[in-house]
């Protein structure tokens, strides 16, 4: 007798490319046509109901940002944090991937935000946060509070994430005054996040409480969008670059401008290695 025993809505994002039962086992393997994932389902021998068993997935669209999840400092005699990657893609997801073990790969949950989206947004992708523009991470206080910060296209708030819970952290960090955030950084101690906005403002937030701690004076801001931020390992300097073609050094405690260097052209990116005194601009 032909009868439907089980229905799994939204088993994959998009169509199902193929599905096969494993020989001699009540387990179904499915491959998604659009979400770049493999899923294993267990079938109940009596009722035929399917239940999710395990799965493997990657970005469903090309990655746009990939960073090592580390502090770029030597820990215990060797380089720390070189076992995991943080990546963001065109599918609007943030993923953590292990270099050594695929079993540790995961997508950081956006459940809190996707539930707030309009009921008229039926696409899973459209209910996610906007694409990630920049991210910063730290392992220093990884087990204590949020340790990843991201800024998103057109968004006036930055989002904090916790890699221990693999999900969004409770606090969102807003630019003051309100403007799209274009750059983020985390201090070497892992306690503070720095935000740069499209109007040249820079703000400092406490990651544990989510409260603002300092802001750059209006007369010291960049004359254009902040394109890059980086905190030095000694905690005494914050670097910033902007579309106004300047590299600026700040005292991070109160965000007081220390010095300014004219680069000669608009800056689009800043990189700083914490185990050196070098800063690279592009």
């Amino acid at each position: 007798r032909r009868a439907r025993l089980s229905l799994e809505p939204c088993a994959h994002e998009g169509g199902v490319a193929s599905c096969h039962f494993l020989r001699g086992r009540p387990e179904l393997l499915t491959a998604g046509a659009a979400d770049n994932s493999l899923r294993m389902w267990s079938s109940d021998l009596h009722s035929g109901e399917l239940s999710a068993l395990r799965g493997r997935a990657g970005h469903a669209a090309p990655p746009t940002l990939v960073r090592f999840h580390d502090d770029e400092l030597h820990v215990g005699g060797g380089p720390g944090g070189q076992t995991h990657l943080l990546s963001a893609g065109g599918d609007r997801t943030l993923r953590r991937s292990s270099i050594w073990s695929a079993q540790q790969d995961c997508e950081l949950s956006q459940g809190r935000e996707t539930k707030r989206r309009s009921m008229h947004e039926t696409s899973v992708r459209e209910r996610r946060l906007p694409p990630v523009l920049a991210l910063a991470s730290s392992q220093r206080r990884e087990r204590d509070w949020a340790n990843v910060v991201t800024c998103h296209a057109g968004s006036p708030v930055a989002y904090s994430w916790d890699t221990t819970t693999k999900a969004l952290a409770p606090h969102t960090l807003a630019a003051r005054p309100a403007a799209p955030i274009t750059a983020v950084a985390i201090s070497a101690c892992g306690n503070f996040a720095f935000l740069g906005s499209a109007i040249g403002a820079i703000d400092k937030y406490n990651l544990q409480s989510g409260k603002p701690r300092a802001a750059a004076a209006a007369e010291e801001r960049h004359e254009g969008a902040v394109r890059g931020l980086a905190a030095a390992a000694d905690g005494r300097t914050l670097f910033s670059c902007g579309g106004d073609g300047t590299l600026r050094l700040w005292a991070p405690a109160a965000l007081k401008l220390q010095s300014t260097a004219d680069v000669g052209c608009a800056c689009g990116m800043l990189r700083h290695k914490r185990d050196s005194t070098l800063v690279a601009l592009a």
Side-chain angles (χ1 to χ4, degrees):
R1 184 170 65 91
R2 294 181 179 181
R4 186 174 68 186
L5 300 178
S6 178
L7 174 65
E8 289 295 330
C10 301
H12 287 274
E13 181 183 342
V16 178
S18 63
C19 56
H20 300 278
F21 273 102
L22 300 186
R23 180 174 295 180
R25 299 167 62 180
E27 294 174 355
L28 179 68
L29 180 65
T30 62
D35 60 0
N36 189 28
S37 68
L38 289 172
R39 301 184 190 276
M40 183 85 70
W41 308 84
S42 177
S43 175
D44 185 270
L45 293 176
H46 299 288
S47 65
E49 289 286 336
L50 291 176
S51 58
L53 193 58
R54 63 180 68 91
R56 292 285 184 271
H59 285 290
T64 57
L65 189 64
V66 181
R67 298 282 185 273
F68 273 107
H69 176 40
D70 66 357
D71 288 291
E72 299 173 347
L73 296 172
H74 288 270
V75 179
Q82 295 184 359
T83 59
H84 288 91
L85 290 169
L86 291 173
S87 61
D91 57 354
R92 302 189 181 187
T93 63
L94 181 65
R95 302 188 65 87
R96 188 183 70 175
S97 306
S98 171
I99 293 177
W100 309 113
S101 174
Q103 293 181 348
Q104 298 181 26
D105 297 355
C106 65
E107 177 186 334
L108 274 63
S109 172
Q110 303 182 22
R112 186 191 73 208
E113 291 297 320
T114 55
K115 291 177 181 177
R116 296 179 180 178
R117 301 295 177 177
S118 169
M119 62 180 293
H120 300 292
E121 295 177 355
T122 57
S123 169
V124 175
R125 184 174 300 187
E126 292 300 320
R127 295 176 70 88
R128 295 174 181 150
L129 295 174
V132 175
L133 293 180
L135 68 85
S137 69
S138 173
Q139 293 180 311
R140 291 298 176 186
R141 308 306 295 266
E142 189 166 25
R143 298 184 180 276
D144 298 323
W145 49 71
N147 62 318
V148 177
V149 176
T150 58
C151 63
H152 302 256
S155 175
V157 298
Y159 291 86
S160 58
W161 307 73
D162 191 331
T163 54
T164 302
T165 61
K166 304 175 184 178
L168 281 166
H171 306 300
T172 56
L173 317 176
R176 301 174 301 159
I181 297 174
T182 54
V184 292
I186 294 180
S187 62
C189 63
N191 293 323
F192 302 103
F194 300 95
L195 318 177
S197 73
I199 60 173
I202 299 178
D203 295 288
K204 176 183 177 182
Y205 276 84
N206 183 289
L207 279 173
Q208 181 182 16
S209 64
K211 295 182 178 179
R213 287 291 178 257
E219 62 274 12
E220 296 178 345
R221 297 174 183 168
H222 284 276
E223 297 177 2
V226 179
R227 295 301 182 187
L229 287 172
D234 60 5
R236 298 180 181 179
T237 306
L238 176 72
F239 304 97
S240 70
C241 72
D244 58 357
T246 61
L247 170 67
R248 305 193 182 202
L249 277 64
W250 308 80
L255 285 181
K256 296 296 184 182
L257 184 63
Q258 294 179 319
S259 61
T260 302
D262 188 2
V263 178
C265 63
C267 300
M269 184 182 301
L270 180 150
R271 293 289 181 268
H272 168 61
K273 295 289 289 184
R274 285 182 179 165
D275 52 3
S276 74
T277 58
L278 300 177
V279 174
L281 302 175

